[in-house]
Amino acid sequence: MTTDRATIRVVGTAGHVDHGKSTLLTALTGMDPDRLREERARGMTIDLGFAWVTLPGGGDIGFVDVPGHQDFIRNMLAGIGSIDAVLLVIAADEGVMPQTREHLAILGLLGIDRGVIALTKRDLVDDEWAALAVSDVRAALRGTALADAPLVAVSATARRGLDELLRALESVLGAAPARRDTGRPRLPVDRSFTMAGFGTVVTGTLLDGSLAVGDEVAVVPGDIRGRVRGLQTHRRSLDVARPGSRVAANLSGIEKEAVSRGMVLARPGSLETTTLIAVRLALLAGASGPLEHDEEIKVHVGAAETMARVAFLEGPAISPGETAWAQLRLAKAVAVAVGDRIVIRRPSPSETLGGGAIADLAAARLRRRAETVAALERRTAPSAASRLLASLDVPRTPAEAADRSGLAPSERDAAIAEVVADGRAVPLADALVSRDAFEAFATHVERICAQAHRRTPLRAGASREEARSALGLPPKRFTALVARLVADKRLAERGSALALPSHRPQLSNDQERQWLSARAALAKEPLQPPSSAQLESEHGLDRELVAALAERGDVLRVGSEAVFLPEAVARFALAVVDELVSSGSITVARARDLSGSSRKHVLPLLQFLDDRGLTRRVGDDRVLVLTPDSARERIATFTHQGEDRP
Ligand SMILES: Nc1nc2c(ncn2[C@@H]2O[C@H](COP(=O)(O)OP(=O)(O)OP(=O)(O)O)[C@@H](O)[C@H]2O)c(=O)[nH]1
Ligand SMILES: [Mg+2]
């Protein structure tokens, strides 16, 4: 298997038009990044270019060359997003110019905080001018992440300073952190084309995971499925491409027309697409004016761009230099992940306005409320545990939560252990939920039970299934929630119903009177009780009232029809047990004679004892299953049934 073992780093150029970016890359790599005929004719970069060089110490640098002209900033943004370091080019003769500043601002917005400054065209100026240019550059860098970046004076035409420049790049890249590998590769597509005999090829800087030949992939948005037929980095064929390298992927099953710049190649189902992103938007201090609520702007993220409207979640507008939470409502779906940086621009007159990191991919429009902002603040809080927690406002599996909060697998397990241990999160079967969200579920179930008790005081409680669907939880998670609430004595399970532990079915005064008269009838000949039909017609004891009385422990239902006083069943059971102790077995006829009941009742009564685990049927006889003492203990529970329940 061919995997690129040598480190590959990606460096992007930046800087004002004509300052010598492409010429410098040609001098460094021997490859002209300007590949379009029009570019060569005009002597100007229009779209992204690519070149690479192998460093003396081993390892490759892949260069992404960007256009400096302000008309092509969108192309610059498509290529600059996922680089390890920048090569900021400033011509010694012109010094800092508008797109030097604009590119610098964009680098800041994208969080690109390492790089090397190349002071180009050194051959065109004398020492004094060069010294002035250097101090001009340092002044422009003040306050940016590149303030202390190494600066190398070079001349591409005279080939001076090139080795020093490569060494500076090598040392800056050596200090750069390893690329994130979350096992979910994504390749933001910056170019797509067809190659005769190969079909569709897409290129980009691979992020977040490795891609292998044969992998099933999807192009998102759109979810067009295909397979990786071949992979190359710097024209070398590979079986596996590593995150952080420039990759050309040859795809089978995906037409060239189906994929274009801005789309992302990823494993099927691994990346969300959305038109709503929440972000703490920073407006550049140098922006020409305030940014208003509902203003139309252009959003650049990864290699994608789309028009969008700004919905501020706090005030009506922000002034240059300010930040505020906003939701961007995109005209077109993008495939992105939480944590991705965005840049916003005004289309006309063209201007880079600001940007931020994606805090949330919402499914719905966010309202302008303090809680919304607080939730977003939490979601972007610094510690892994608090970021994880912020994603647990609804139950999520560890993988979903880590994904949403942008956590690497290595941080994930520790963060989960931490929040579960200190009680800030509660496990619900395969998922976790924050303590607050758990409380919300708990009080919701309690409210459902309380409501059921109020509306149908005779019933045992609320239907379990109805409660589950009201909470919108899948069965396993709901069962885990109930189990926990039962353990905490906040809820009681009564058959298939859920109740508050304090709930006892409540009879009205009339019903209590009906019960008293029925009770007298039942007590007359306890083992020859009146039928259910009689109880209903003569005493008003309908099915529901019987169920409530059974729930309370006032009656026992035996078989499908009969209703007995618990004492009667206990007396019958004790007589059967005594007989079994003395003679080992008992027949139906013997049980009838002993108890003075009738065959009609004795059959279900004996069955009832079988069901309660006291006796077992052997042929026509019953035998005892328990020891006499345990049998008598169990019989005692028949008469205390109501109170025994939790
Ligand atoms: N004398 C001199 N001329 C240079 C040097 N580097 C570049 N040039 C010239 O400057 C002009 C612009 O160079 P490019 O490399 O196209 O500049 P660029 O920054 O890539 O320009 P865009 O891609 O359009 O932003 C060309 O005519 C180059 O020959 C240098 O070191 N010395
Ligand atoms: Mg160029």
Side-chain angles (χ1 to χ4, degrees):
M1 189 193 273
T2 43
T3 301
D4 231 307
R5 299 229 163 269
T7 39
I8 295 175
R9 294 295 198 167
V10 180
V11 170
T13 59
H16 197 71
V17 62
D18 258 358
H19 276 201
K21 297 178 290 297
S22 305
T23 307
L24 180 57
L25 289 194
T26 309
L28 289 172
T29 67
M31 296 173 215
D32 184 354
D34 286 336
R35 65 206 146 78
L36 303 176
R37 194 171 305 133
E38 191 189 352
E39 290 179 319
R40 295 198 173 160
R42 288 170 71 179
M44 173 194 264
T45 305
I46 294 168
D47 206 348
L48 300 171
F50 306 93
W52 55 93
V53 67
T54 301
L55 294 166
D60 274 13
I61 299 180
F63 288 101
V64 179
D65 186 36
V66 308
H69 196 285
Q70 60 167 330
D71 287 354
F72 308 125
I73 286 225
R74 49 189 296 223
N75 294 339
M76 180 264 184
L77 281 160
I80 203 79
S82 31
I83 59 174
D84 290 293
V86 64
L87 177 60
L88 180 63
V89 168
I90 301 161
D93 57 339
E94 277 198 331
V96 173
M97 294 291 282
Q99 269 62 55
T100 317
R101 294 188 194 282
E102 188 165 14
H103 285 194
L104 207 47
I106 287 170
L107 295 167
L109 292 168
L110 294 175
I112 297 159
D113 54 5
R114 46 192 93 230
V116 174
I117 319 301
L119 190 71
T120 52
K121 308 195 189 181
R122 178 64 181 82
D123 56 290
L124 294 182
V125 300
D126 60 19
D127 292 354
E128 199 183 340
W129 188 273
L132 278 172
V134 170
S135 57
D136 177 35
V137 170
R138 287 292 177 203
L141 295 176
R142 207 168 294 141
T144 74
L146 296 171
D148 299 320
L151 184 150
V152 183
V154 296
S155 168
T157 45
R159 298 199 61 83
R160 264 172 34 209
L162 300 178
D163 292 343
E164 196 190 333
L165 182 64
L166 277 183
R167 277 198 300 277
L169 277 172
E170 195 167 13
S171 104
V172 162
L173 290 170
R179 279 308 184 103
R180 187 167 77 172
D181 187 345
T182 61
R184 293 163 161 253
R186 51 181 173 134
L187 186 74
V189 173
D190 49 34
R191 263 195 312 160
S192 69
F193 50 91
T194 45
M195 260 171 75
F198 286 94
T200 307
V201 176
V202 297
T203 69
T205 305
L206 183 61
L207 300 176
D208 292 352
S210 297
L211 208 57
V213 172
D215 277 356
E216 196 192 353
V217 286
V219 171
V220 281
D223 199 32
I224 299 131
R225 308 283 176 101
R227 255 178 215 290
V228 177
R229 184 193 284 166
L231 289 169
Q232 284 194 345
T233 289
H234 303 162
R235 297 254 163 86
R236 286 192 300 271
S237 289
L238 299 167
D239 292 329
V240 179
R242 299 256 169 249
S245 54
R246 286 289 313 169
V247 170
N250 177 207
L251 305 175
S252 63
I254 298 175
E255 295 296 314
K256 185 202 171 266
E257 290 66 38
V259 41
S260 56
R261 171 176 290 177
M263 291 181 164
V264 182
L265 191 72
R267 296 235 171 93
S270 69
L271 197 58
E272 283 187 65
T273 65
T274 184
T275 57
L276 294 171
I277 58 185
V279 57
R280 191 209 290 276
L281 213 50
L283 188 59
L284 290 170
S288 61
L291 180 64
E292 314 263 339
H293 183 72
D294 210 32
E295 211 172 308
E296 197 164 43
I297 48 142
K298 194 161 232 184
V299 175
H300 297 260
V301 56
E305 61 171 88
T306 170
M307 294 302 293
R309 281 195 186 276
V310 181
F312 280 118
L313 301 172
E314 297 172 278
I318 53 172
S319 303
E322 289 181 349
T323 63
W325 282 106
Q327 190 176 45
L328 302 179
R329 295 162 181 173
L330 312 181
K332 192 175 90 186
V334 291
V336 290
V338 167
D340 285 357
R341 301 276 190 141
I342 67 158
V343 170
I344 62 166
R345 302 194 80 234
R346 180 172 290 142
S348 139
S350 159
E351 176 187 3
T352 297
L353 293 171
I358 296 177
D360 188 30
L361 313 174
R365 291 187 166 214
L366 294 174
R367 299 241 196 85
R368 207 186 263 221
R369 279 208 304 244
E371 301 104 82
T372 311
V373 168
L376 289 168
E377 296 274 0
R378 278 200 304 280
R379 180 160 294 154
T380 48
S383 92
S386 47
R387 255 154 59 215
L388 178 86
L389 207 59
S391 72
L392 296 176
D393 51 338
V394 298
R396 292 205 160 90
T397 63
E400 289 165 351
D403 211 28
R404 203 174 165 84
S405 44
L407 291 187
S410 55
E411 300 172 291
R412 181 183 100 180
D413 296 344
I416 289 172
E418 183 184 333
V419 294
V420 171
D422 65 19
R424 282 184 291 164
V426 180
L428 284 185
D430 62 327
L432 286 169
V433 68
S434 73
R435 165 67 57 187
D436 286 351
F438 175 85
E439 270 311 310
F441 281 130
T443 47
H444 195 176
V445 189
E446 287 172 332
R447 224 175 39 241
I448 289 171
C449 290
Q451 228 163 45
H453 299 335
R454 214 170 38 244
R455 286 198 193 134
T456 52
L458 269 183
R459 292 256 174 89
S463 141
R464 202 185 158 92
E465 189 44 37
E466 275 165 31
R468 188 189 72 72
S469 78
L471 264 64
L473 284 175
K476 259 196 220 143
R477 294 179 187 173
F478 183 71
T479 303
L481 173 77
V482 168
R484 189 162 176 124
L485 294 175
V486 168
D488 292 348
K489 302 208 181 328
R490 296 177 64 170
L491 216 58
E493 286 181 283
R494 305 265 163 86
S496 66
L498 293 176
L500 296 176
S502 59
H503 174 69
R504 293 282 173 273
Q506 280 291 316
L507 274 49
S508 67
N509 289 341
D510 273 353
Q511 288 167 326
E512 288 290 0
R513 268 194 296 279
Q514 287 163 337
W515 161 231
L516 278 180
S517 85
R519 193 189 150 76
L522 286 165
K524 223 177 260 164
E525 261 189 278
L527 285 168
Q528 293 273 41
S531 69
S532 304
Q534 265 172 299
L535 288 174
E536 177 155 11
S537 61
E538 290 167 23
H539 308 281
L541 230 59
D542 59 18
R543 285 185 81 79
E544 198 158 327
L545 191 46
V546 169
L549 290 165
E551 182 66 41
R552 250 180 21 174
D554 283 334
V555 297
L556 276 179
R557 280 178 294 191
V558 173
S560 54
E561 269 299 304
V563 174
F564 288 85
L565 292 175
E567 307 84 89
V569 180
R571 212 174 75 205
F572 173 82
L574 285 172
V576 169
V577 168
D578 286 346
E579 173 66 10
L580 287 172
V581 169
S582 59
S583 50
S585 69
I586 190 169
T587 61
V588 173
R590 178 83 183 119
R592 182 194 58 207
D593 297 344
L594 270 179
S595 61
S597 183
S598 63
R599 190 176 165 82
K600 171 177 112 189
H601 287 124
V602 166
L603 282 175
L605 280 167
L606 285 172
Q607 180 63 45
F608 180 85
L609 299 186
D610 289 349
D611 294 344
R612 297 294 167 113
L614 278 104
T615 52
R616 187 156 50 83
R617 196 171 160 172
V618 179
D620 285 342
D621 290 357
R622 263 17 191 235
V623 295
L624 199 54
V625 172
L626 301 173
T627 63
D629 280 349
S630 352
R632 289 185 185 110
E633 253 169 54
R634 190 161 299 180
I635 291 166
T637 67
F638 296 174
T639 46
H640 299 299
Q641 195 148 264
E643 297 115 84
D644 271 0
R645 299 274 181 99

